[in-house]
Amino acid sequence: MGRWGRITRRTLLVGSAAVAGGAAFGVWRLNQPFANPLSPEQGAALNPFVVIDETGVTLVMGRSEMGQGVHTTLAAMLAEEMDLDWSSVRVVHGPAAAAYHNAALAAMGLPVADYAKTPMQHRIAGAMGTLSRAFGLQITGGSTATRDAFEPLRLAGASAREALKRAAADRLGVDAAQLRTEDGAVIAPDDRRVPYTELAEDAARVDPPQVAPRPATEWRLLGQSLPRPDMLAKATGAAAYGVDVRLPGMKFAAIRMNPRLGGPMRGFDPAPALALAGVERVIDLGSGVAVVARNSWAAMKGAEAVDVTWGPAPYPETTEAIFQRIAEAFEGRRNSRLRDDGNTTRTLDDAAQVIEAEYRLPFLAHSTMEPMNATALFTGDALELWTPSQTPLVQARFAAQAVGLRADQVTVHTPYLGGGFGRRLEADYSALAARVAREMPGVPVQVMWSREEDMTHDFYRPAVIARMRGAVQGGLALALEAKVAAPSVTRQAVVRMTGLPAPGPDKGHVEGLFDQPYAIPNYRVEGYLADLDIPLGFWRSVGHSHNGFIHECFIDELAHAAGRDPIEFRLAMIRPESAVAANVLEQVSMMARWRAPREPGTGRGVAFAWSFGTPVAQVIELRDESGRIRIAKAWIACDMGRALDPAIVQAQMESGLIYGVSAAVMGEITFAGGMVEQRNFPE
């Protein structure tokens, strides 16, 4: 963070470099190019991703590092093409800028199955991706960071390399074609070496060469498990997260908001808080209060001490009543029918045996290890914001609106995130920090949420009801009908983030059900949207997180009714649809030795899902240990295509499994009296 502050504070020494489709150098030319947002004190910004000064090369990332290793893989794309020594690579998060827009995320909005996209649908999805430019979607989410960057970043690195070679050719008086690059230097035929640090300013004046990236057969870094640039600092405690921001003269604040989400604050008495040592003031936020103190502990204790009168919630007060509201959605108008193969109604009406099941899944909180926080400095005509977020431009816009500024008057710094999972797509915590800072001009203030405030004021994964019917014949599924009711995450979140409605069928509502590669001749999936004012947000894997569970549980019910092994039953329907998916299921079967005799007191389950472009299969083994069930073993197989860093892929799969199991066995969020009952992890 400190280094980035040094890079960005003065004007760019070199003329503005054009960014086309996400890269300043490269062949991605879409309409008008973006201006290069980087302004280094010394050296040169060759494009929005590469800064070279006298100390070396810094790679600038437009995506947030929240433990998933994205800074490693994206930096490797640039380093691969620029022939950098990996041990010398330095990585920082870039500014809030449209140059870092996420085209892949917008392209995912097409309501079709990933595994079965036609060439025309791929072209349409690509065209939708260009919309991200107009909306400035600088977003880390949707499992898109690597997919989105794969072409643009390699093109940027390749063109930067060739620009450096041309600068060296002019200096050395040789043809650029005779030069090569290695370990951050240009090398002449007579072995003279010119470091990039000496060539940067000249290279930035070169007309950007348009060159293709190297083929995979020439890769040195991509495809390997690389040491992560962020890991040493994280292992030693030196890494700067949002909670670690410290500025001269900084104050600390804690918030307290209505536990009945969206309800009003009718009044408060600050006296009990002001009587505590270290507490300096209590700020009225309209819907809650912020307590400012000399340290975070005093601020949190002060927030607890404020005597507040809260108004009621705008939704049913109990979990039971909330589920009743969701169930009523089935009686209303259908929102979507994104799969409707065969004649499901007639098939189920004529079936000798119909298998039925209803699934109810709870609300879930994101529960990031680092609670929500942001640090803000308001100076009247500008706002500086340090916020661990997945959406820097959204943070700037919301914070600006909160204090009556324009978004371009807000400077956003993005430190490491102590977990995101979709929660930090939202900007509520940044807006609150900005509002507190406005009351204290010239004084930096860190607004820290307690674990209790964080858990009870989340944007939750929605509660869901699914009503399933099916029939089997000849050992196969003959029909499957899924009806899903839940409030819409997409409609809430899109309106909050863009101010625009999200009309049409809600793909996220039924993803994980309509888009699975099962050859079932009569297959219908319908979505029903419940009207519910509980705050909802994107939760890791979004609709797949609940619909994948629902789908695979019901597939097991059908397998049982058909009298078949769960894996063989799945394979019989998946093979005709997708050889890739079938291979994943076969691989996990072999890994787990599924067909081998099992130890007494053990049981196994299998599930498959095609989610966010990747087919994944898992086997879980349970053991009965004196009447207590323990999750003993797990096996995972996936096929994401080319693994650019195998160790990071493995970490993602393992962390996803752990996160999913944790949510399944202990993550339930319930309501009583309009309030969330679970205020901390032990609850």
Side-chain angles (χ1 to χ4, degrees), residues 38-324:
L38 305 183
S39 302
E41 283 184 347
Q42 298 176 348
L46 296 193
N47 57 46
F49 310 103
V50 180
V51 172
I52 305 178
D53 59 20
E54 74 282 359
T55 65
V57 181
T58 298
L59 304 182
V60 183
M61 300 293 101
R63 299 290 175 264
S64 302
E65 177 58 74
M66 46 190 155
Q68 81 279 40
V70 68
H71 279 190
T72 301
T73 303
L74 300 193
M77 295 178 192
L78 287 162
E80 182 73 76
E81 295 297 333
M82 293 186 66
D83 285 323
L84 298 176
D85 175 10
W86 185 251
S87 64
S88 69
V89 164
R90 301 175 303 198
V91 184
V92 297
H93 194 291
Y100 305 111
H101 72 285
N102 187 333
L105 188 65
M108 292 179 61
L110 198 64
V112 297
D114 276 343
Y115 78 89
K117 277 183 182 174
T118 66
M120 176 60 75
Q121 288 168 340
H122 277 290
R123 288 193 292 272
I124 293 172
M128 292 175 65
T130 63
L131 295 175
S132 66
R133 292 169 55 86
F135 293 106
L137 296 180
Q138 184 187 359
I139 293 178
T140 307
S143 300
T144 57
T146 300
R147 184 191 316 180
D148 179 69
F150 184 64
E151 290 294 333
L153 279 189
R154 292 190 303 132
L155 287 164
S159 293
R161 178 192 72 230
E162 293 305 310
L164 289 159
K165 286 169 64 177
R166 291 188 186 183
D170 291 341
R171 179 175 299 192
L172 298 173
V174 300
D175 192 298
Q178 296 179 288
L179 301 175
R180 60 187 176 89
T181 52
E182 181 180 273
D183 291 342
V186 178
I187 304 172
D190 59 3
D191 291 332
R192 283 179 294 171
R193 299 174 63 91
V194 186
Y196 291 168
T197 54
E198 298 178 14
L199 296 168
E201 291 194 39
D202 290 339
R205 298 187 183 97
V206 172
D207 186 36
Q210 306 300 308
V211 294
R214 289 168 171 156
T217 53
E218 297 180 15
W219 287 351
R220 300 172 302 106
L221 301 175
L222 295 175
Q224 308 298 316
S225 295
L226 298 173
R228 287 178 52 171
D230 59 322
M231 198 53 66
L232 178 61
K234 289 179 175 178
T236 59
Y241 292 83
V243 294
D244 298 317
V245 172
R246 293 294 182 270
L247 301 170
M250 189 168 81
K251 299 295 183 181
F252 298 84
I255 60 166
R256 187 170 165 204
M257 298 176 290
N258 193 337
R260 298 176 180 88
L261 309 177
M265 180 176 68
R266 290 179 170 167
F268 71 96
D269 179 4
L274 294 171
L276 298 178
V279 173
E280 297 183 352
R281 62 183 298 187
V282 178
I283 297 172
D284 184 351
L285 297 174
S287 58
V289 297
V291 175
V292 181
R294 291 194 293 270
N295 58 68
S296 58
W297 179 251
M300 288 184 186
K301 298 305 290 184
E304 292 175 6
V306 177
D307 185 8
V308 189
T309 302
W310 303 115
Y315 49 82
E317 290 197 340
T318 66
T319 300
E320 181 181 0
I322 289 168
F323 270 104
Q324 179 58 42

Side-chain angles (χ1 to χ4, degrees), residues 407-439:
D408 62 6
Q409 294 175 287
V410 180
T411 300
V412 176
H413 305 278
T414 306
Y416 288 131
L417 284 61
F421 317 125
R423 174 61 178 94
R424 286 187 158 98
L425 294 167
E426 304 292 342
D428 55 318
Y429 55 97
S430 293
L432 284 171
R435 291 177 63 190
V436 174
R438 182 180 57 182
E439 302 300 315

Side-chain angles (χ1 to χ4, degrees), residues 327-361:
E328 291 169 3
F330 288 116
E331 308 303 319
R333 183 178 179 181
R334 183 182 72 242
N335 169 261
S336 69
R337 181 181 281 173
L338 293 186
R339 188 159 186 168
D340 192 13
D341 300 342
N343 192 327
T344 306
T345 300
R346 177 178 295 177
T347 302
L348 290 171
D349 287 345
D350 294 343
Q353 178 188 10
V354 175
I355 300 93
E356 296 184 341
E358 180 175 286
Y359 300 94
R360 295 192 172 207
L361 280 69

